[in-house]
Amino acid sequence: MNAISNLHTAERLFSGPIAEEYEKLALICPAAADMSRRVGEFVAGWLRGRAVPDNALELGCGTGVTTAALLAALDEVPLTAVDSEPSMLVQAGANLASWIEAGRLRLVENDALSFLRDQADDSFEVIASAFTLHNFMNGYRREVLQEIFRVLKPGGLFVNGDRYGLDDTLEHTRLIQEEVKQYFKVFRELNRIDLLEHWIVHLFSDESPDRVMRLAPSLDAMAEIGFHPVSVHYRDEVNALVTGSKP
């Protein structure tokens, strides 16, 4: 695993028990694994009939679930995957060791904004992410999107499968309540109330006014930055697959 760079402004929301047992996410949020698959499939479809790109970038690789889907979609295209949490990268390195040994994957320890700021204009043809941007504070997320646009090559693709809050706040609250019920059900059955506590605290962070990523304002922000077209290709409750291109 090649891990470089120091962390600057990013928060470490996935350190400790959540990072160490991140596979539990598949139990409390089955939609997450499905979204990782969809991100990979969308990239594969977008690349069909196009010239093979020189490289691709993933922001927030975590333990490598979406990374694996992207590697399968990208065929022989080298992928750089960035994450700010060392324990996540250790797991990704173990899960994706064969890809690293084959020279297809480079793992980088850095926060998204710091990494992007270090890249030249028009560096990547494909930039992908899943369940990462919603963790950012609103201002930081805006800067990340601006930098994604800058380093994306003209004609390039940005694809994000993520939590996008409903603009109908009452319906959004109802869905979050159902999500919390699922947390309790799963962690009670596992007798892991300790993990329940950590995930509930994390959910409160996701839903805070300074962080919650609602769909319509998010699409508007991407359009204001310059992405065109900005499209929603899939929506399931609080999750959506969103893309933007650089003209």
Side-chain angles (χ1 to χ4, degrees), residues 28-241:
I28 62 174
C29 183
D34 178 66
M35 186 63 76
S36 293
R37 175 185 61 81
R38 289 179 181 275
V39 168
E41 289 180 351
F42 189 91
V43 169
W46 185 82
L47 288 172
R48 202 167 294 126
R50 295 175 182 265
V52 178
D54 295 329
N55 53 27
L57 172 66
E58 180 191 10
L59 298 175
C61 63
T63 60
V65 178
T66 307
T67 318
L70 288 169
L71 287 163
L74 290 165
D75 197 14
E76 297 302 315
V77 178
L79 175 67
T80 297
V82 180
D83 203 286
S84 63
E85 180 51 53
S87 60
M88 290 286 205
L89 287 170
V90 169
Q91 295 176 70
N95 294 336
L96 304 167
S98 61
W99 298 98
I100 296 170
E101 292 167 5
R104 287 283 319 286
L105 174 65
R106 179 173 70 111
L107 298 179
V108 177
E109 182 187 333
N110 205 346
D111 72 278
L113 185 56
S114 297
F115 177 85
L116 289 165
R117 282 175 171 169
D118 287 340
Q119 310 308 304
D121 293 356
D122 306 337
S123 296
F124 295 94
E125 191 161 354
V126 176
I127 301 177
S129 189
F131 293 100
T132 295
L133 269 65
H134 80 273
N135 293 295
F136 299 158
M137 297 287 282
N138 293 332
Y140 181 93
R141 183 187 305 126
R142 173 83 181 201
E143 290 187 70
V144 166
L145 287 169
Q146 290 171 334
E147 288 298 302
I148 289 172
F149 185 79
R150 181 184 65 80
V151 305
L152 196 63
K153 292 182 179 180
L157 170 73
F158 169 55
V159 54
N160 187 39
D162 214 329
R163 293 176 66 97
Y164 283 93
L166 274 66
D167 303 305
D168 180 340
T169 56
L170 291 178
E171 178 62 10
H172 179 83
T173 298
R174 185 191 70 78
L175 292 174
I176 297 303
Q177 291 169 340
E178 292 301 315
E179 187 173 354
V180 170
K181 290 178 184 178
Q182 177 70 3
Y183 287 14
F184 273 85
K185 178 179 183 294
V186 168
F187 287 122
R188 278 175 173 168
E189 290 175 352
L190 294 173
N191 194 28
R192 293 300 308 271
I193 301 303
D194 57 325
L195 286 179
L196 171 63
E197 177 184 348
H198 285 285
W199 277 106
I200 292 292
V201 169
H202 182 82
L203 183 63
F204 267 81
S205 175
D206 287 347
E207 294 300 311
S208 67
D210 292 332
R211 201 183 307 267
V212 65
M213 186 168 71
R214 298 202 185 278
L215 184 60
S218 299
L219 301 180
D220 289 344
M222 289 178 65
E224 289 170 6
I225 288 167
F227 290 96
H228 181 78
V230 177
S231 305
V232 179
H233 300 272
Y234 173 77
R235 180 69 153 154
D236 179 22
E237 297 185 341
V238 298
N239 304 303
L241 181 67

